[in-house]
Amino acid sequence: MMVIKAAVVAAAATIHSTTSLRSGASSLSEDTVNTRKMPSSADRGSIICAGLSCLDLQLVGCTQSGSDEAIERYDEAVHCAGGSASMTGTTLALLLRPPDGEEQPAEEVHILTKIGPDFAGNTLLEFYRRAGASTRLVLTDEAARTSMAVLPVFKNGKRGCFVNLACNDGFTMDELLGQVDHGVQSIAGPTRAFLFGYPHLMPEMQGNALLSMLQKARQKLSANGKNSVLVGVDLNGVDGSDPTAAREALIPALGEIDVLHLNEDEAMVLSSSTQSTSGKDGDGVVSPQMLSQIASFHQEGCAVVLLSLGSKGAFVSVTPDSQRLQELSASSDSPSMAVSRWAPGTQIRIPAFQIAHGEVNANGAGDALFSGFCLAASSWGCSMERQLCESEEWMVSPKVAGTFASLVAWQRCNAKTRDGDGMKSAVTLMELIRKGNLPDVLKGPKIMVKSGRKSDPRMD
């Protein structure tokens, strides 16, 4: 009964949302290699957002009575590009849109995922292009079916998810690396970051296969044999029913992961802990058990852990191993990543920001936090920094990167700005941080900093 009812709702909503999507599609064109004059490769780089994708059908404003067979209502049906590759790619592309009068963004965003030759796949491509992301690395498998998901977005801002992973189930390491090879040949400028998600929902890229894929992707994308690429991994779908399998899917690859993003529930599964992750005083302080689990990620080789805390913000932990951070120093002929200069052992909690007016839609908030953090940690120090700071030297610290990420998530959670309208650019968000002109913080404790060397409470 419930399956039939969901299918009827989805079909009716598809007709509604497809009409609104196609109304602006005439201005879209095929994504081809741009032949216009570009900035020098030292100024203009690229970010590859790889992994799972699906076409989401969001049922916005859903009621939630608590009964499985109740007739629930919703306010609006909206299609959007879902999954890690889609969410990180479109978020970054919107943040990096060039200012008026400029033809090229400072950084080019490429989405690397697998789709089928169907309505859902074609709709995803249109969303990518509309956001300003490149689709030249998207793999279309003529024999595959594009993944689709139905997401009830409840009035409290939370959501559910019903998904058919389709071609993501068969997306192989060789297929992904083949698209990376294509990118090496066709992308102008250095690749500054390779972001991948969600390995626990991609059976062909888990455990040792995930390790091998990340190693080979880094090698292929690094310039002149020197490590110049930040590798980030975003988790989702970590199955709590089998903690051992969940750990085996990730732990072997931790040594190749520069930034690992996960939430409290996922960290609990990976640690097999049944204890609460919150402080006993209820103020949201990360618990000793969680700190121990984060330390184990560092011991396995992960450089930075970004832990989502929901409305409490996020927690950033930097490895105490200075040699691990030095591995992220680029060659002398290219700028180093900001993360390579961070103080070993730094731990800092960043607040979430309040949406004063407008509806809240938290779908994709974690992807936005992850993508914003990796952008600040990898690409700052290039043309974006010079555009903001001119000749003034300014270092992006863990606090700055975390605050920037929280601002990106803040914009993504605001229903008015999440799709780009009124969204502030990456440079504008950094200017807000430099000037201390930040939105109000959601109720919770103030930012706390713990550094392996010394405390530095400044944003700059």
Side-chain angles (χ1 to χ4, degrees), residues 65-328:
S65 65
S67 171
D68 288 342
E69 297 190 4
I71 297 176
E72 307 290 359
R73 296 176 180 269
Y74 66 91
D75 296 331
E76 185 182 11
V78 181
H79 273 126
C80 72
S84 178
S86 303
M87 290 287 194
T88 57
T90 55
T91 297
L92 289 175
L94 290 169
L95 281 172
L96 297 170
R97 286 178 298 185
D100 292 341
E102 295 187 17
E103 295 182 343
Q104 296 289 340
E107 304 281 294
E108 189 174 34
V109 179
H110 299 266
I111 295 177
L112 196 171
T113 191
K114 183 177 179 179
I115 62 173
D118 47 28
F119 163 78
N122 291 332
T123 305
L124 280 177
L125 292 175
E126 290 184 359
F127 275 121
Y128 298 163
R129 293 168 185 146
R130 183 172 294 176
S134 167
T135 62
R136 75 183 66 153
L137 300 186
V138 175
L139 174 64
T140 300
D141 185 341
E142 296 296 328
R145 182 161 51 96
T146 305
S147 175
M148 294 188 66
V150 177
L151 291 85
V153 181
F154 303 110
K155 290 185 180 294
N156 62 4
K158 296 183 179 181
R159 66 161 178 81
C161 182
F162 303 87
V163 64
N164 185 329
L165 292 173
C167 61
N168 292 296
D169 282 333
F171 194 12
T172 68
M173 176 180 67
D174 289 341
E175 288 176 325
L176 185 146
L177 292 175
Q179 296 304 100
V180 171
D181 286 333
H182 175 57
V184 171
Q185 298 171 4
S186 62
I187 295 175
T191 299
R192 307 199 197 280
F194 177 81
L195 311 182
F196 180 78
Y198 308 130
H200 287 87
L201 295 175
M202 307 190 72
E204 297 294 331
M205 284 182 271
Q206 297 178 356
N208 289 327
L210 177 63
L211 168 64
S212 179
M213 182 275 287
L214 296 178
Q215 287 176 331
K216 292 177 180 179
R218 191 196 297 270
Q219 292 168 0
K220 292 173 183 291
L221 295 169
S222 293
N224 303 320
K226 300 288 185 178
N227 180 25
S228 57
V229 179
L230 181 138
V231 172
V233 171
D234 188 14
L235 300 189
N236 201 343
V238 180
D239 187 0
S241 66
D242 192 347
T244 299
R247 289 192 291 272
E248 290 175 350
L250 175 70
I251 301 303
L254 280 173
E256 282 296 320
I257 299 175
D258 302 323
V259 176
L260 174 69
H261 172 247
L262 72 170
N263 63 29
E264 293 175 284
D265 291 338
E266 290 158 349
M268 287 179 65
V269 172
L270 293 170
S271 66
S272 68
S273 172
T274 59
Q275 301 185 47
S276 171
T277 60
S278 297
K280 293 181 179 180
D281 56 3
D283 68 355
V285 175
V286 177
S287 70
Q289 292 81 12
M290 184 60 68
L291 290 174
S292 177
Q293 178 58 28
I294 290 173
S296 73
F297 291 147
H298 290 317
Q299 291 169 1
E300 294 288 345
C302 180
V304 179
V305 175
L306 175 63
L307 180 70
S308 288
L309 302 174
S311 61
K312 296 174 291 184
F315 184 77
V316 179
S317 179
V318 181
T319 179
D321 185 353
S322 60
Q323 292 184 345
R324 177 66 175 88
L325 295 175
Q326 285 303 309
E327 293 175 5
L328 299 174

Side-chain angles (χ1 to χ4, degrees), residues 263-431:
N263 63 29
E264 293 175 284
D265 291 338
E266 290 158 349
M268 287 179 65
V269 172
L270 293 170
S271 66
S272 68
S273 172
T274 59
Q275 301 185 47
S276 171
T277 60
S278 297
K280 293 181 179 180
D281 56 3
D283 68 355
V285 175
V286 177
S287 70
Q289 292 81 12
M290 184 60 68
L291 290 174
S292 177
Q293 178 58 28
I294 290 173
S296 73
F297 291 147
H298 290 317
Q299 291 169 1
E300 294 288 345
C302 180
V304 179
V305 175
L306 175 63
L307 180 70
S308 288
L309 302 174
S311 61
K312 296 174 291 184
F315 184 77
V316 179
S317 179
V318 181
T319 179
D321 185 353
S322 60
Q323 292 184 345
R324 177 66 175 88
L325 295 175
Q326 285 303 309
E327 293 175 5
L328 299 174
S329 298
S331 56
S332 59
D333 58 348
S334 60
S336 296
M337 289 178 271
V339 64
S340 69
R341 303 188 296 272
W342 289 354
T346 297
Q347 291 186 323
I348 176 170
R349 189 156 53 83
I350 303 293
F353 296 112
Q354 181 177 348
I355 298 174
H357 304 287
E359 297 179 358
V360 175
N361 183 345
N363 184 31
D367 303 280
L369 185 83
F370 170 66
S371 60
F373 186 87
C374 291
L375 174 64
S378 65
S379 296
W380 213 264
C382 309
S383 60
M384 288 190 297
E385 181 176 342
R386 287 192 290 275
Q387 182 179 350
L388 176 62
C389 306
E390 296 181 351
S391 60
E392 180 184 355
E393 183 177 355
W394 187 54
M395 174 182 168
V396 171
S397 65
K399 186 175 184 179
V400 170
T403 304
F404 180 82
S406 189
L407 286 172
V408 174
W410 168 69
Q411 292 194 125
R412 188 69 177 178
C413 289
N414 189 330
K416 293 182 178 179
T417 59
R418 64 179 286 111
D419 295 322
D421 292 339
M423 180 182 286
K424 293 177 173 61
S425 70
V427 170
T428 300
L429 293 182
M430 278 294 187
E431 287 176 335

